[in-house]
Amino acid sequence: MKAQGLPWLSVVALLVSLPYSSLLNMETFILDYSSRNLSAVPPDLPPSVQCLDVSQNRIWTLKKHDFHRTPRLHFLNLSWNILEDIHPDTFISTPLLATLDLSHNSLKNLSHQQYLVKAQNLQYLDLSSNLFAVMALGYEFSKLMKLKWLGLSARIIQNNNFVNVSDLHLQTLFIQAQDLTVYENGSLTGAKSDKIVILMPSNVFDLPIIVDALTSFKQVELRGLYNPEDFLGILVTRKVRIQTVNLHLSSVWSTWKVITALTNRALMSTICQFSMSNLTLYDMYGDYFVIQGYSLDSFSIRQASVTVFIFNQLSLYDFIINIPARNLTFAQSPIVHMTCPKVVSMIQMLDLSDCVLTENVFKDPLGECNTLSNLEILVLKRNNLRQLMPLTSRVQLMSSLRHVDFSQNSLTYEETQGRCNWPSKISHLDLSFNEFEQTVFKCLPTALVNLNLQNNHISAIPANISGLDSLKVLDLTANRLLDLPDCLGYPKLQKLVLRGNFLHAPSTGSLKTCSHLTVVDMSMNPYICTCPLREFTNLIDEKGTLGGSNSWKYQRITVAHWPDGYRCSYPEYWRKAMLKNFSMLEITCNAGLLAVTILVPAIILIIAVGILCQQLDLPWYISMIWKWTRAKHHARSSQQRQEDLQGVHFHAFISYSQRNANWVIGQLLPKLEGEDSSTQNGLRVCHHERDFIPGRPILDNILHCIEQSRCCVFVLSSHFVQSDWCHYELYFASHQWITRGMDNIILILLEPLPTYLIPSKYYQLKAMMARRTYLEWPQDTAKQRLFWANLRAALQADLPDCGEREWE
């Protein structure tokens, strides 16, 4: 059957033969011309190529100059072609060639491979699955002094076939013997190799080959054993001395009887490591027991299956668990249970991974298992374990247990499960890839040194942890932590791994409780690059050491994978940027500094504006402008009809105290009437000393003038409120306002007039001053111009021409 891609052997050889610098660039060092239907080696190979794959083509010959432009070639895969001939000088230009795969071709003469003379740096050579008739290695093989791995095949294997490689000390000799037709006993004894791997022919030559292999090689791997005999028993019967210490059987089709017999024979032989893989049992008949009094260093069964449906499973489990081996593995097999050894077992390492075991493993009807007291390492990963507490009961009597691996299950722990009972010596515990939450910290051994809890559902670490005083390594990779935990529950912690959690802006203050911490790994977290993260990044120096402030004076923590593993995830403009390049202005993140920066200039500006306003008396000007604007607006909006002004001869009637006459006569009248009485723009003002009709009663004159005036102007002062006549004039003006419906009263405050100085009979004046806007006479000459403008604006109106005034 045709292989797909690089054969596994070629890949291994490739990785080992290449320089370390080439291994650093795994994506580009293989030039792949496989499966291109090529009939010859491509002529345009680049001189820099180190690895070339031209497998699975139709190349039938290699010429002298096929590789003359590739002096750096280390690895060449020519498998699965139709090669028949190779020129002797083909590899003269490739002095660095270390790996050559010529398997699955049509080469015919194994004793005449002259091209090998020019490839003396070869370490890996595969010539298996060709058309060689006899496995007679030519003299050119003796030149390959660096050869470590050699793959061969032929139909005939004879004595002295390996004489030309007898001086070579191979690490592995691979023989594909499936097409074997002739085998002379003792033929393999001439080869020297640490290990021999034989793909068995499954015919009469099986036993002779096995005998030679077991008597000549320390490590033996037999592949493709179909219904084998108890060959170890046969060797014992023949009193053949076995040299093998490591025996591996792969791709085996057999019965339980033969497997148990082989195991017992291995126990009684020189074999120290006995292993089987890809084992298929088609007959489980019989109950067999392990012979006692012997032991193995290791016994292993991987990928075992049974084709019968009904058999005694307990017999299988009892046989396996009672094998006296220091290291016992029964993995990648669909077993649902494992029993407890009958007597105290010597097993120190027990691997039951990749099965379907439950937490009832080792459970005995008579109680918990107490015969695995020498067990130090227990591996139960990738099973069907669900509850942690029952598991602790299964192992509580394994008093020597130090290393436990329960990873890649579906384990949980809740306090309702009960109290956990661990052996006292457990120092390494792997609970990764389970479904634990933070309650798992209440079910841990007290002597732990290394705890692996990666890929669980832990969102926080409880504050009341106790009993982990010896813990030095804690791995919480790929959990749900939002911040860094403290070390109060495990004060001797030296390494903390928090990769792939939900750390956004870690608060490093909690690490100050970790006085022994030397390494922390917080890479691959979704860091949010905003102000809260600045404190974290500022504490890490260029060398990736955490501790950049006085409070960290005596503590330096190495930040693993810094800086490449630490990148921003938000906001978008910082996304994927490394944290070492992240920075923000101090003013952006310091609220106090930002407030000072904004408020201080604002306060200074306000004070400056206030002082300026005070110096320039701006509030008064603004007030006067506002009054002038309102007066103008009022004048326009309340424009009276001409007929409403019939009989009105004056713009204003002036009411004042006689003690303020000097100001009225000297200031008010000239400004309103104009400096020149003939001025066209002057206002008509009713002044009692000029416009009262002699001989008439004073009250009649007052009433008559008020009626003939559009507005009444009251000059308020402390003297005004002491005058009775002023009081009468104010009263009549108020009455006129009510009867005529005209807003005709204007107040001028000549001097400050506190309300407590106003007599109670002037209640109308108090009310007016409380609700009406009045004009204040400014002492500053510069402001008086605006005062007069406001007053004139309030009095301005188009009055009808006045004739001779008559009394009605």
Side-chain angles (χ1 to χ4, degrees), residues 73-90:
L73 193 64
H74 280 82
F75 172 89
L76 178 60
N77 183 8
L78 282 159
S79 63
W80 295 97
N81 278 278
I82 55 174
L83 278 174
E84 297 180 2
D85 180 59
I86 301 176
H87 192 278
D89 294 329
T90 296

Side-chain angles (χ1 to χ4, degrees), residues 22 51 55-56 66 92 106 147 154 156 167-168 192 198 201 237 276 309 345-346 454 464 517 562 599 653 726 749:
S22 297
C51 308
S55 62
Q56 303 181 56
D66 280 347
I92 194 170
S106 301
L147 197 63
I156 300 173
D167 293 333
L168 304 182
K192 292 183 179 180
I198 305 174
T237 302
M276 290 174 274
F309 292 99
S345 174
M346 66 181 299
Q454 62 175 300
N464 56 346
L517 191 64
W562 179 271
L599 292 178
F653 169 75
C726 291
L749 193 60

Side-chain angles (χ1 to χ4, degrees), residues 95 97 113-123 125 137-148 150 162-170:
L97 187 63
Q113 304 295 314
Q114 297 297 317
Y115 57 89
L116 294 177
V117 176
K118 307 299 182 181
Q120 295 186 16
N121 280 317
L122 279 178
Q123 298 179 32
L125 175 61
L137 303 183
Y139 80 96
E140 56 272 11
F141 283 90
S142 65
K143 306 296 183 181
L144 305 178
M145 301 304 296
K146 297 182 180 180
L147 197 63
K148 298 178 181 178
L150 177 61
F162 298 96
V163 66
N164 285 316
V165 294
S166 60
D167 293 333
L168 304 182
H169 192 80
L170 301 172

Side-chain angles (χ1 to χ4, degrees), residues 555-801:
Q555 188 176 7
R556 291 293 182 269
I557 302 172
T558 299
V559 181
H561 302 102
W562 179 271
D564 293 338
Y566 298 78
R567 297 181 181 270
C568 300
S569 64
Y570 182 85
E572 193 63 30
Y573 54 83
W574 279 110
R575 186 175 179 83
K576 295 186 179 180
M578 288 192 291
L579 261 59
K580 74 169 186 177
N581 299 325
F582 165 68
S583 63
M584 296 189 74
L585 295 176
E586 180 67 25
I587 191 174
T588 307
C589 299
N590 191 324
L593 182 59
L594 181 62
V596 169
T597 304
I598 295 174
L599 292 178
V600 169
I603 292 172
I604 293 174
L605 179 62
I606 292 171
I607 293 174
V609 170
I611 294 173
L612 184 63
C613 291
Q614 186 66 28
Q615 292 294 325
L616 301 178
D617 209 359
L618 288 179
W620 185 89
Y621 281 102
I622 294 172
S623 175
M624 294 304 289
I625 291 172
W626 171 245
K627 292 175 181 179
W628 178 82
T629 304
R630 287 188 61 190
K632 282 290 187 181
H633 176 73
H634 179 71
R636 290 192 185 96
S637 61
S638 61
Q639 191 73 278
Q640 293 172 318
R641 295 175 299 177
Q642 193 68 25
E643 55 269 22
D644 293 336
L645 296 176
Q646 292 295 326
V648 176
H649 300 287
F650 301 103
H651 287 91
F653 169 75
I654 307 299
S655 174
Y656 61 95
S657 171
Q658 194 61 33
R659 294 188 180 186
N660 302 126
N662 291 336
W663 180 83
V664 172
I665 297 172
Q667 295 275 2
L668 180 62
L669 293 178
K671 293 297 181 181
L672 297 182
E673 294 180 336
E675 299 295 337
D676 185 357
S677 59
S678 62
T679 301
Q680 294 295 323
N681 294 327
L683 299 177
R684 292 181 236 160
V685 179
C686 180
H687 182 224
H688 70 275
E689 292 184 358
R690 183 185 60 196
D691 295 310
F692 274 12
I693 299 175
R696 295 293 183 182
I698 294 176
L699 291 178
D700 289 346
N701 272 310
I702 291 173
L703 287 171
H704 186 69
C705 286
I706 289 175
E707 289 177 352
Q708 289 190 331
S709 301
R710 179 176 171 271
C711 293
C712 293
V713 178
F714 293 91
V715 181
L716 304 180
S717 67
S718 58
H719 304 297
F720 180 90
V721 296
Q722 295 174 4
S723 171
D724 290 335
W725 294 113
C726 291
H727 177 243
Y728 293 145
E729 291 171 347
L730 181 62
Y731 175 78
F732 293 146
S734 300
H735 179 73
Q736 184 73 5
W737 174 27
I738 296 173
T739 56
R740 294 175 60 179
M742 296 172 60
D743 188 6
N744 61 344
I745 296 177
I746 296 176
L747 304 179
I748 296 176
L749 193 60
L750 194 59
E751 59 185 27
L753 185 61
T755 55
Y756 65 84
L757 294 179
I758 303 175
S760 59
K761 65 179 180 180
Y762 279 90
Y763 65 90
Q764 289 179 322
L765 178 60
K766 289 182 178 181
M768 288 182 186
M769 292 183 68
R771 67 173 183 268
R772 298 176 67 90
T773 302
Y774 51 83
L775 297 175
E776 294 183 62
W777 169 249
Q779 300 300 322
D780 188 350
T781 306
K783 301 177 181 178
Q784 292 175 3
R785 185 175 180 180
L786 189 57
F787 171 84
W788 296 122
N790 279 340
L791 183 56
R792 289 180 62 87
L795 297 176
Q796 191 70 47
D798 295 330
L799 298 182
D801 294 335

Side-chain angles (χ1 to χ4, degrees), residues 378 380 388 391 404-409 411 422 430-431 434:
L378 175 61
L380 294 176
L388 182 59
L391 272 178
V404 177
D405 186 350
F406 291 159
S407 63
Q408 303 182 57
N409 283 281
L411 283 169
W422 293 94
D430 190 345
L431 297 176
N434 279 287

